[in-house]
Amino acid sequence: MRYDDSPPPPESASSISPDRPWFARRPALAVTLAALAPTCLAGWVLTQVLSGPASGAPQPAAAPLAASSPAAAADAKPNASPSSPAPPAAPSASLAAAPAKGPLTGRTVVLDPGHNTGNFKHGREIDQQVDIGTNRKECDTTGTTTNSGYMEAEFSLDVSHRARALLEAKGAKVVLTHDGERPWGPCIDERARIGNQAAADAVVSVHADGASAGNRGFHVILPARVKGGAADTAKIVGPSRDLGERIASNFARATGSSPANYLGSGTGLVVRDDLGGLNLSTRPKVFIECGNMRDDKDAAQLMSPQWRQKAAQGIADGITGFLGG
């Protein structure tokens, strides 16, 4: 554009077509270029779509694979309403992953928490007689307590919970004969049956004793050789002793407790033939009396959560050793 009224300078001869002046051809040239521009642009876009972005060009952010909300689903599907739920997403691989395995994977352990806190209220039920193979005996007992009222049934269930967690961390399947959910029991014959039906590799019944003050320490009760009625312990006597010896040594190491000073001749091992839970078992099984609730020094340990954790550790370590873990 010019900003004065002077006439334009004359065109040079070399810039003028011999047929028509240059300024007369400009409108036609502009029209031609305007027509070609959209065509060229469309061709370039098509080339980019078909061939992808040039190497080294910045990549656009990837679109989400699935709508994360009903509104997003409606955007992805033009015919869907905003209130329509999005299709369920496939489960992630982390949720479907198998649980971690441990040295006790494939093994089953039954823990039998002695007695039940509700047995005190169900004297008639727990006094009923059941067959233990060699004779008949009461279904269960109330268990004992410390002088301050801490119940053996509370202790045995707490230690069983702690031992279960330790064993499950090693991959074991752990079954409890009861978990405090029952008003009383189970009876001693049912406790044995639970271990048998679970095909348990090891069964441990957790208790605390009620001897007189001054009697201290733990002991493990092993099954005697018994045969009569439904009882036949011939196959479990050997492996049960192995299980009991391992628990006794590990329990002493974990807790710092000594074997009982009032029975077992200082070995911490006692053999009995009058316990239905042992007589009726077809799986390796032992009882452990973790201490004497009627002795104040032992009772102080039994009431300590820290000591109970050590007790559970000793029991779990003994079972683990027995099972080759």
PDB file of all heavy atoms in Angstrom, residues 200-225:
ATOM      1  N   ALA A 200      -5.109 -82.794  59.534  1.00  0.00           N
ATOM      2  CA  ALA A 200      -4.060 -81.890  59.999  1.00  0.00           C
ATOM      3  C   ALA A 200      -2.706 -82.584  60.035  1.00  0.00           C
ATOM      4  O   ALA A 200      -2.594 -83.755  60.398  1.00  0.00           O
ATOM      5  CB  ALA A 200      -4.409 -81.358  61.385  1.00  0.00           C
ATOM      6  N   ASP A 201      -1.682 -81.837  59.673  1.00  0.00           N
ATOM      7  CA  ASP A 201      -0.309 -82.333  59.782  1.00  0.00           C
ATOM      8  C   ASP A 201       0.194 -82.221  61.217  1.00  0.00           C
ATOM      9  O   ASP A 201       1.143 -82.913  61.598  1.00  0.00           O
ATOM     10  CB  ASP A 201       0.605 -81.542  58.850  1.00  0.00           C
ATOM     11  CG  ASP A 201       0.210 -81.737  57.391  1.00  0.00           C
ATOM     12  OD1 ASP A 201       0.365 -82.859  56.885  1.00  0.00           O
ATOM     13  OD2 ASP A 201      -0.260 -80.761  56.771  1.00  0.00           O
ATOM     14  N   ALA A 202      -0.414 -81.342  61.998  1.00  0.00           N
ATOM     15  CA  ALA A 202      -0.077 -81.188  63.412  1.00  0.00           C
ATOM     16  C   ALA A 202      -1.250 -80.533  64.115  1.00  0.00           C
ATOM     17  O   ALA A 202      -1.916 -79.662  63.547  1.00  0.00           O
ATOM     18  CB  ALA A 202       1.182 -80.335  63.589  1.00  0.00           C
ATOM     19  N   VAL A 203      -1.501 -80.979  65.360  1.00  0.00           N
ATOM     20  CA  VAL A 203      -2.568 -80.402  66.178  1.00  0.00           C
ATOM     21  C   VAL A 203      -1.969 -80.067  67.544  1.00  0.00           C
ATOM     22  O   VAL A 203      -1.280 -80.897  68.147  1.00  0.00           O
ATOM     23  CB  VAL A 203      -3.750 -81.373  66.368  1.00  0.00           C
ATOM     24  CG1 VAL A 203      -4.894 -80.680  67.113  1.00  0.00           C
ATOM     25  CG2 VAL A 203      -4.229 -81.920  65.028  1.00  0.00           C
ATOM     26  N   VAL A 204      -2.242 -78.858  68.020  1.00  0.00           N
ATOM     27  CA  VAL A 204      -1.746 -78.430  69.327  1.00  0.00           C
ATOM     28  C   VAL A 204      -2.901 -77.827  70.112  1.00  0.00           C
ATOM     29  O   VAL A 204      -3.571 -76.904  69.636  1.00  0.00           O
ATOM     30  CB  VAL A 204      -0.604 -77.400  69.199  1.00  0.00           C
ATOM     31  CG1 VAL A 204      -0.156 -76.932  70.593  1.00  0.00           C
ATOM     32  CG2 VAL A 204       0.576 -77.994  68.439  1.00  0.00           C
ATOM     33  N   SER A 205      -3.119 -78.352  71.313  1.00  0.00           N
ATOM     34  CA  SER A 205      -4.135 -77.826  72.202  1.00  0.00           C
ATOM     35  C   SER A 205      -3.436 -76.929  73.227  1.00  0.00           C
ATOM     36  O   SER A 205      -2.500 -77.354  73.908  1.00  0.00           O
ATOM     37  CB  SER A 205      -4.857 -78.978  72.900  1.00  0.00           C
ATOM     38  OG  SER A 205      -5.999 -78.523  73.586  1.00  0.00           O
ATOM     39  N   VAL A 206      -3.886 -75.672  73.304  1.00  0.00           N
ATOM     40  CA  VAL A 206      -3.210 -74.653  74.117  1.00  0.00           C
ATOM     41  C   VAL A 206      -3.939 -74.486  75.450  1.00  0.00           C
ATOM     42  O   VAL A 206      -5.149 -74.246  75.477  1.00  0.00           O
ATOM     43  CB  VAL A 206      -3.156 -73.310  73.362  1.00  0.00           C
ATOM     44  CG1 VAL A 206      -2.441 -72.246  74.195  1.00  0.00           C
ATOM     45  CG2 VAL A 206      -2.457 -73.479  72.012  1.00  0.00           C
ATOM     46  N   HIS A 207      -3.172 -74.575  76.553  1.00  0.00           N
ATOM     47  CA  HIS A 207      -3.741 -74.494  77.895  1.00  0.00           C
ATOM     48  C   HIS A 207      -2.797 -73.755  78.832  1.00  0.00           C
ATOM     49  O   HIS A 207      -1.664 -73.423  78.477  1.00  0.00           O
ATOM     50  CB  HIS A 207      -3.985 -75.901  78.455  1.00  0.00           C
ATOM     51  CG  HIS A 207      -5.068 -76.668  77.780  1.00  0.00           C
ATOM     52  ND1 HIS A 207      -6.350 -76.764  78.281  1.00  0.00           N
ATOM     53  CD2 HIS A 207      -5.066 -77.382  76.625  1.00  0.00           C
ATOM     54  CE1 HIS A 207      -7.096 -77.495  77.469  1.00  0.00           C
ATOM     55  NE2 HIS A 207      -6.336 -77.892  76.449  1.00  0.00           N
ATOM     56  N   ALA A 208      -3.285 -73.532  80.064  1.00  0.00           N
ATOM     57  CA  ALA A 208      -2.459 -73.121  81.196  1.00  0.00           C
ATOM     58  C   ALA A 208      -2.956 -73.915  82.400  1.00  0.00           C
ATOM     59  O   ALA A 208      -4.149 -74.195  82.520  1.00  0.00           O
ATOM     60  CB  ALA A 208      -2.559 -71.627  81.439  1.00  0.00           C
ATOM     61  N   ASP A 209      -2.043 -74.288  83.289  1.00  0.00           N
ATOM     62  CA  ASP A 209      -2.374 -75.203  84.375  1.00  0.00           C
ATOM     63  C   ASP A 209      -2.980 -74.471  85.563  1.00  0.00           C
ATOM     64  O   ASP A 209      -2.925 -73.239  85.647  1.00  0.00           O
ATOM     65  CB  ASP A 209      -1.109 -75.958  84.798  1.00  0.00           C
ATOM     66  CG  ASP A 209      -1.421 -77.344  85.347  1.00  0.00           C
ATOM     67  OD1 ASP A 209      -2.617 -77.684  85.447  1.00  0.00           O
ATOM     68  OD2 ASP A 209      -0.463 -78.079  85.674  1.00  0.00           O
ATOM     69  N   GLY A 210      -3.533 -75.254  86.493  1.00  0.00           N
ATOM     70  CA  GLY A 210      -4.133 -74.686  87.693  1.00  0.00           C
ATOM     71  C   GLY A 210      -3.626 -75.376  88.940  1.00  0.00           C
ATOM     72  O   GLY A 210      -4.406 -75.670  89.853  1.00  0.00           O
ATOM     73  N   ALA A 211      -2.317 -75.634  89.002  1.00  0.00           N
ATOM     74  CA  ALA A 211      -1.718 -76.274  90.173  1.00  0.00           C
ATOM     75  C   ALA A 211      -1.570 -75.259  91.303  1.00  0.00           C
ATOM     76  O   ALA A 211      -1.837 -74.067  91.141  1.00  0.00           O
ATOM     77  CB  ALA A 211      -0.359 -76.868  89.799  1.00  0.00           C
ATOM     78  N   SER A 212      -1.126 -75.734  92.441  1.00  0.00           N
ATOM     79  CA  SER A 212      -0.994 -74.849  93.605  1.00  0.00           C
ATOM     80  C   SER A 212       0.199 -73.917  93.458  1.00  0.00           C
ATOM     81  O   SER A 212       1.113 -74.150  92.651  1.00  0.00           O
ATOM     82  CB  SER A 212      -0.856 -75.688  94.886  1.00  0.00           C
ATOM     83  OG  SER A 212       0.275 -76.545  94.787  1.00  0.00           O
ATOM     84  N   ALA A 213       0.179 -72.830  94.220  1.00  0.00           N
ATOM     85  CA  ALA A 213       1.245 -71.831  94.173  1.00  0.00           C
ATOM     86  C   ALA A 213       2.589 -72.474  94.492  1.00  0.00           C
ATOM     87  O   ALA A 213       2.680 -73.412  95.294  1.00  0.00           O
ATOM     88  CB  ALA A 213       0.947 -70.708  95.157  1.00  0.00           C
ATOM     89  N   GLY A 214       3.621 -71.977  93.853  1.00  0.00           N
ATOM     90  CA  GLY A 214       4.961 -72.537  94.027  1.00  0.00           C
ATOM     91  C   GLY A 214       5.317 -73.511  92.935  1.00  0.00           C
ATOM     92  O   GLY A 214       6.498 -73.791  92.696  1.00  0.00           O
ATOM     93  N   ASN A 215       4.304 -74.063  92.283  1.00  0.00           N
ATOM     94  CA  ASN A 215       4.533 -74.933  91.136  1.00  0.00           C
ATOM     95  C   ASN A 215       4.619 -74.052  89.888  1.00  0.00           C
ATOM     96  O   ASN A 215       3.672 -73.346  89.551  1.00  0.00           O
ATOM     97  CB  ASN A 215       3.404 -75.955  90.989  1.00  0.00           C
ATOM     98  CG  ASN A 215       3.357 -76.933  92.138  1.00  0.00           C
ATOM     99  OD1 ASN A 215       4.389 -77.402  92.603  1.00  0.00           O
ATOM    100  ND2 ASN A 215       2.164 -77.231  92.631  1.00  0.00           N
ATOM    101  N   ARG A 216       5.755 -74.106  89.227  1.00  0.00           N
ATOM    102  CA  ARG A 216       5.994 -73.187  88.117  1.00  0.00           C
ATOM    103  C   ARG A 216       6.483 -73.947  86.889  1.00  0.00           C
ATOM    104  O   ARG A 216       6.945 -75.090  86.963  1.00  0.00           O
ATOM    105  CB  ARG A 216       7.035 -72.138  88.500  1.00  0.00           C
ATOM    106  CG  ARG A 216       6.622 -71.226  89.643  1.00  0.00           C
ATOM    107  CD  ARG A 216       7.521 -70.021  89.686  1.00  0.00           C
ATOM    108  NE  ARG A 216       7.419 -69.244  88.434  1.00  0.00           N
ATOM    109  CZ  ARG A 216       8.281 -68.305  88.074  1.00  0.00           C
ATOM    110  NH1 ARG A 216       9.337 -68.018  88.847  1.00  0.00           N
ATOM    111  NH2 ARG A 216       8.112 -67.643  86.953  1.00  0.00           N
ATOM    112  N   GLY A 217       6.384 -73.245  85.749  1.00  0.00           N
ATOM    113  CA  GLY A 217       6.938 -73.778  84.514  1.00  0.00           C
ATOM    114  C   GLY A 217       5.890 -74.387  83.595  1.00  0.00           C
ATOM    115  O   GLY A 217       4.721 -74.521  83.945  1.00  0.00           O
ATOM    116  N   PHE A 218       6.347 -74.742  82.395  1.00  0.00           N
ATOM    117  CA  PHE A 218       5.467 -75.302  81.360  1.00  0.00           C
ATOM    118  C   PHE A 218       5.697 -76.800  81.233  1.00  0.00           C
ATOM    119  O   PHE A 218       6.737 -77.334  81.648  1.00  0.00           O
ATOM    120  CB  PHE A 218       5.757 -74.627  80.013  1.00  0.00           C
ATOM    121  CG  PHE A 218       7.067 -75.045  79.401  1.00  0.00           C
ATOM    122  CD1 PHE A 218       7.146 -76.144  78.536  1.00  0.00           C
ATOM    123  CD2 PHE A 218       8.251 -74.374  79.708  1.00  0.00           C
ATOM    124  CE1 PHE A 218       8.355 -76.552  77.985  1.00  0.00           C
ATOM    125  CE2 PHE A 218       9.472 -74.766  79.155  1.00  0.00           C
ATOM    126  CZ  PHE A 218       9.514 -75.854  78.292  1.00  0.00           C
ATOM    127  N   HIS A 219       4.727 -77.466  80.635  1.00  0.00           N
ATOM    128  CA  HIS A 219       4.948 -78.856  80.231  1.00  0.00           C
ATOM    129  C   HIS A 219       4.075 -79.194  79.037  1.00  0.00           C
ATOM    130  O   HIS A 219       3.030 -78.577  78.802  1.00  0.00           O
ATOM    131  CB  HIS A 219       4.706 -79.845  81.382  1.00  0.00           C
ATOM    132  CG  HIS A 219       3.299 -79.911  81.891  1.00  0.00           C
ATOM    133  ND1 HIS A 219       2.760 -79.000  82.782  1.00  0.00           N
ATOM    134  CD2 HIS A 219       2.299 -80.812  81.641  1.00  0.00           C
ATOM    135  CE1 HIS A 219       1.520 -79.320  83.073  1.00  0.00           C
ATOM    136  NE2 HIS A 219       1.205 -80.428  82.386  1.00  0.00           N
ATOM    137  N   VAL A 220       4.550 -80.146  78.243  1.00  0.00           N
ATOM    138  CA  VAL A 220       3.863 -80.603  77.039  1.00  0.00           C
ATOM    139  C   VAL A 220       3.365 -82.020  77.299  1.00  0.00           C
ATOM    140  O   VAL A 220       4.131 -82.883  77.760  1.00  0.00           O
ATOM    141  CB  VAL A 220       4.801 -80.578  75.815  1.00  0.00           C
ATOM    142  CG1 VAL A 220       4.088 -81.109  74.573  1.00  0.00           C
ATOM    143  CG2 VAL A 220       5.327 -79.162  75.572  1.00  0.00           C
ATOM    144  N   ILE A 221       2.086 -82.264  77.002  1.00  0.00           N
ATOM    145  CA  ILE A 221       1.469 -83.564  77.250  1.00  0.00           C
ATOM    146  C   ILE A 221       1.419 -84.361  75.950  1.00  0.00           C
ATOM    147  O   ILE A 221       0.901 -83.882  74.926  1.00  0.00           O
ATOM    148  CB  ILE A 221       0.052 -83.410  77.824  1.00  0.00           C
ATOM    149  CG1 ILE A 221       0.089 -82.551  79.095  1.00  0.00           C
ATOM    150  CG2 ILE A 221      -0.565 -84.778  78.126  1.00  0.00           C
ATOM    151  CD1 ILE A 221      -1.286 -82.210  79.650  1.00  0.00           C
ATOM    152  N   LEU A 222       1.954 -85.579  76.001  1.00  0.00           N
ATOM    153  CA  LEU A 222       2.023 -86.456  74.830  1.00  0.00           C
ATOM    154  C   LEU A 222       1.009 -87.586  74.975  1.00  0.00           C
ATOM    155  O   LEU A 222       0.698 -88.009  76.100  1.00  0.00           O
ATOM    156  CB  LEU A 222       3.425 -87.063  74.712  1.00  0.00           C
ATOM    157  CG  LEU A 222       4.609 -86.104  74.850  1.00  0.00           C
ATOM    158  CD1 LEU A 222       5.929 -86.891  74.795  1.00  0.00           C
ATOM    159  CD2 LEU A 222       4.582 -85.053  73.756  1.00  0.00           C
ATOM    160  N   PRO A 223       0.494 -88.118  73.859  1.00  0.00           N
ATOM    161  CA  PRO A 223      -0.455 -89.231  73.954  1.00  0.00           C
ATOM    162  C   PRO A 223       0.247 -90.543  74.315  1.00  0.00           C
ATOM    163  O   PRO A 223       1.329 -90.849  73.813  1.00  0.00           O
ATOM    164  CB  PRO A 223      -1.059 -89.294  72.543  1.00  0.00           C
ATOM    165  CG  PRO A 223       0.007 -88.738  71.653  1.00  0.00           C
ATOM    166  CD  PRO A 223       0.698 -87.682  72.460  1.00  0.00           C
ATOM    167  N   ALA A 224      -0.394 -91.304  75.206  1.00  0.00           N
ATOM    168  CA  ALA A 224       0.076 -92.655  75.514  1.00  0.00           C
ATOM    169  C   ALA A 224      -0.436 -93.610  74.426  1.00  0.00           C
ATOM    170  O   ALA A 224      -1.305 -93.250  73.623  1.00  0.00           O
ATOM    171  CB  ALA A 224      -0.427 -93.074  76.887  1.00  0.00           C
ATOM    172  N   ARG A 225       0.111 -94.810  74.425  1.00  0.00           N
ATOM    173  CA  ARG A 225      -0.401 -95.822  73.503  1.00  0.00           C
ATOM    174  C   ARG A 225      -1.723 -96.344  74.070  1.00  0.00           C
ATOM    175  O   ARG A 225      -1.762 -96.974  75.121  1.00  0.00           O
ATOM    176  CB  ARG A 225       0.610 -96.958  73.337  1.00  0.00           C
ATOM    177  CG  ARG A 225       0.243 -97.952  72.238  1.00  0.00           C
ATOM    178  CD  ARG A 225       1.351 -98.969  72.059  1.00  0.00           C
ATOM    179  NE  ARG A 225       2.540 -98.348  71.485  1.00  0.00           N
ATOM    180  CZ  ARG A 225       2.781 -98.227  70.181  1.00  0.00           C
ATOM    181  NH1 ARG A 225       1.890 -98.676  69.295  1.00  0.00           N
ATOM    182  NH2 ARG A 225       3.893 -97.677  69.759  1.00  0.00           N
TER     183      ARG A 225
END
